[in-house]
Amino acid sequence: MELKNIEEIKNIISGVNKGSIAEELNIEVGDILLSINDKKIEDIIEYKFYISDEYLEVEIQKKDGEIYIYEIEKEYDEDLGIEFINPIIDKAKSCRNKCIFCFIDQLPKGMRETLYFKDDDSRLSFLQGNFITLTNMSEDDIQKMIQYRISPVNISVHTTDPDLRIKMLNNKNAGKLYDIMKRLADAGIEMNAQIVLCPDVNDKENLQRTLNDLSKLYPHVRSVAVVPIGLTKYREGLFDAKIYDDNSSSEVIEFIHEFQKRRLDDIGTRFVFLSDEFYVMAKKDIPSYEAYEGFVQIENGVGLICKFEREIDDYLKKTFVKLKKQKTVSIATGKSAYEFIKNVSLKVMNNVENLKINVYNIKNEYFGETITVSGLITATDIINQLKDTELGDKLIIPRAMLKSDEAIFLDNITLDELQERLDIKIDAAKNEGADFVKKLIK
């Protein structure tokens, strides 16, 4: 999540949902929420906690300065239907770490301004799925998580070795992680964990220790995702890190699969899952659909390829189309997904007559060719590599290349600008099989 209005801490209402309680009461965009049941609302967690009551007295300041108190009777789980300019109401907590693998520290200048803000806020973990390190939490913050039942939360673990974690995060408070996680588990808080794996740093024996420690907190720690370190070409003055190759990725896969077998026998779940990048780098088959156990960490790139292909297969089983005339569509993707997209494009062409699909592997020259995922492809690279190419009737790109709430690339170029530069219609397809096929056909 990229935060807007980071410095704005007033509870300014930015949206009112149609048909909601707020709309019925004529609460408007620009109004300010002051309190609920005489409790001042200082962040979004407090807001969600207090609106769960069936009787509310909501204090609102209108745009002209007048203050109104609305008496509301509602169902226990019924929302008021308002959104705020600042999604967490309070000022977001920024990260105090200097992680050896931090991707934001490797960004060049000239990108979207919000990309340079490093959040480390438990409220964003609960609301948006962001991962937090727990390094900048006070005792009051921990108590608040427990009191307001902030669950589930996503935690960037990396290692449970206190000394190593202090070194990896460059923060003296980083070694307290496991004790805090045990407290959260004792309070019934559910957690998902992430490990950014760095060769010869937190892998091998240390990874074994970390996974054993986290397993002891199951079922409160529900799952663990292991993702490889990503290195751009902008690392001057940073930690001398290595990247994974086909051999080292294969070793990680073998280790994790053995661990999964033991956990499946012990606790009935594989518990830990690898991101797709490891399998692509190792040129190994992606695990089965069932092996991902519901795809609990798909936002981490865990099982994305498997789920996407199943969705395409399911859609094509009930779809056979004959286009009225020959149509050519191009797809721009990153190196990691290139072979996969070529294969599924063949499946689509076998079910759609008169459709030709060209797939283009966009090299990441903007960040460096060690970055291979499609979500980090910029418009600049697409323009430079496709500007003199005959692309056919339209170009398809993954929606992941764009900002979640706006059609703009990482390098501040909009989708409209890209269409103008390439002189072609461009559709952004979601990571959903049906949407992908429909974008190709229409």
Side-chain angles (χ1 to χ4, degrees):
M1 177 185 181
E2 293 176 50
L3 296 178
K4 294 181 284 189
N5 300 300
I6 292 168
E7 298 296 332
E8 180 57 77
I9 62 174
K10 285 185 178 180
N11 311 343
I12 301 174
I13 295 170
S14 64
V16 177
N17 297 336
K18 191 172 182 179
S20 65
I21 293 172
E23 185 184 52
E24 291 178 11
L25 296 173
N26 292 321
I27 295 174
E28 301 171 299
V29 172
D31 292 349
I32 298 174
L33 171 67
L34 299 179
S35 68
I36 296 176
N37 291 345
D38 292 326
K39 303 288 195 310
K40 184 179 178 182
I41 305 301
E42 296 183 342
D43 68 29
I44 195 67
I45 301 301
E46 290 180 343
Y47 168 75
K48 289 189 174 291
F49 182 80
Y50 288 122
I51 64 168
S52 64
D53 288 347
E54 295 174 338
Y55 174 79
L56 304 177
E57 291 185 0
V58 179
E59 187 179 16
I60 295 285
Q61 180 178 313
K62 305 296 287 185
K63 286 179 283 188
D64 61 5
E66 289 284 335
I67 294 176
Y68 294 82
I69 295 178
Y70 299 90
E71 297 182 3
I72 301 170
E73 292 185 5
K74 65 176 193 64
E75 298 296 325
Y76 172 78
D77 58 352
E78 190 175 6
D79 199 347
L80 296 183
I82 59 178
E83 299 172 0
F84 300 96
I85 286 178
N86 185 334
I88 61 171
I89 296 177
D90 190 14
K91 183 177 179 180
K93 294 181 180 179
S94 61
C95 182
R96 299 174 184 172
N97 308 315
K98 190 72 173 175
C99 298
I100 63 173
F101 49 80
C102 179
F103 199 81
I104 296 176
D105 287 344
Q106 304 176 68
L107 296 180
K109 296 178 180 179
M111 304 180 72
R112 298 195 303 258
E113 184 180 349
T114 48
L115 290 168
Y116 299 98
F117 176 73
K118 296 192 279 187
D119 75 80
D120 194 9
D121 199 307
S122 60
R123 297 163 297 188
L124 290 173
S125 180
F126 174 65
L127 294 168
Q128 303 289 344
N130 295 23
F131 278 82
I132 57 173
T133 65
L134 300 180
T135 56
N136 69 345
M137 296 188 70
S138 66
E139 179 61 29
D140 286 344
D141 292 329
I142 297 169
Q143 289 294 343
K144 197 171 188 178
M145 283 184 72
I146 294 170
Q147 177 187 353
Y148 293 138
R149 305 290 301 165
I150 301 179
S151 179
V153 291
N154 296 327
I155 299 175
S156 289
V157 173
H158 312 310
T159 177
T160 53
D161 180 329
D163 293 333
L164 178 59
R165 195 166 192 265
I166 289 170
K167 291 178 181 177
M168 290 186 70
L169 274 62
N170 282 293
N171 187 320
K172 64 182 181 180
N173 294 317
K176 303 174 184 177
L177 167 89
Y178 197 65
D179 289 338
I180 297 175
M181 291 184 72
K182 285 194 288 188
R183 288 181 61 188
L184 296 178
D186 290 342
I189 303 298
E190 292 186 346
M191 295 164 274
N192 293 301
Q194 177 196 66
I195 297 171
V196 175
L197 206 60
C198 306
D200 299 330
V201 178
N202 62 334
D203 56 355
K204 300 172 184 173
E205 292 83 4
N206 190 270
L207 179 60
Q208 179 77 62
R209 167 184 171 161
T210 299
L211 293 177
N212 286 340
D213 286 343
L214 294 176
S215 298
K216 295 172 186 175
L217 300 182
Y218 179 82
H220 301 293
V221 173
R222 302 189 304 185
S223 68
V224 181
V226 179
V227 304
I229 184 174
L231 304 180
T232 78
K233 61 185 180 182
Y234 302 98
R235 289 194 59 83
E236 185 177 351
L238 299 179
F239 178 79
D240 185 18
K242 302 177 184 177
I243 60 172
Y244 282 95
D245 57 20
D246 53 350
N247 290 327
S248 54
S249 294
S250 294
E251 291 174 1
V252 173
I253 292 170
E254 184 178 351
F255 170 81
I256 292 296
H257 284 188
E258 285 299 318
F259 188 91
Q260 287 178 328
K261 290 176 185 177
R262 294 195 297 273
R263 290 291 81 83
L264 201 55
D265 291 338
D266 295 342
I267 57 179
T269 174
R270 292 169 179 81
F271 187 64
V272 58
F273 306 89
L274 288 170
S275 71
D276 294 356
E277 291 170 84
F278 280 108
Y279 297 100
V280 172
M281 287 187 290
K283 299 179 177 62
K284 301 283 188 182
D285 290 339
I286 298 289
S288 68
Y289 189 89
E290 292 71 26
Y292 286 104
E293 300 182 14
F295 300 91
V296 291
Q297 293 237 24
I298 198 160
E299 295 300 328
N300 245 327
V302 176
L304 190 62
I305 289 176
C306 178
K307 185 172 184 290
F308 192 49
E309 185 167 23
R310 171 67 69 89
E311 290 169 348
I312 290 172
D313 290 343
D314 288 347
Y315 188 79
L316 291 177
K317 285 176 185 177
K318 55 186 180 181
T319 303
F320 187 85
V321 178
K322 183 175 181 179
L323 301 178
K324 292 181 180 179
K325 60 179 182 178
Q326 184 69 36
K327 179 180 181 181
T328 300
V329 177
S330 294
I331 301 173
T333 189
K335 179 181 177 181
S336 289
Y338 176 65
E339 292 297 332
F340 167 71
I341 295 297
K342 279 191 7 179
N343 291 335
V344 295
S345 294
L346 285 174
K347 291 184 179 183
V348 176
M349 285 189 285
N350 287 335
N351 278 59
V352 181
E353 284 192 23
N354 293 327
L355 176 64
K356 180 182 179 183
I357 303 173
N358 297 316
V359 183
Y360 292 96
N361 174 12
I362 305 299
K363 296 179 181 177
N364 202 322
E365 296 173 349
Y366 192 92
F367 289 114
E369 293 188 29
T370 54
I371 301 299
T372 61
V373 295
S374 299
L376 293 174
I377 295 292
T378 60
T380 300
D381 281 339
I382 295 174
I383 292 167
N384 290 341
Q385 295 172 47
L386 297 184
K387 62 184 176 182
D388 298 321
T389 304
E390 178 53 53
L391 299 172
D393 297 288
K394 71 174 176 179
L395 175 67
I396 304 291
I397 64 168
R399 182 64 182 81
M401 289 183 183
L402 304 173
K403 190 178 178 187
S404 60
D405 59 350
E406 190 177 355
I408 187 170
F409 291 84
L410 290 165
D411 51 355
N412 249 335
I413 296 175
T414 67
L415 185 60
D416 287 342
E417 289 171 334
L418 179 60
Q419 289 185 129
E420 185 177 343
R421 294 285 295 275
L422 294 180
D423 191 25
I424 192 171
K425 174 179 170 56
I426 301 177
D427 276 345
K430 301 175 186 175
N431 285 326
E432 299 170 4
D435 187 65
F436 175 73
V437 177
K438 289 176 183 177
K439 289 286 196 308
L440 289 169
I441 296 172
K442 290 183 179 178

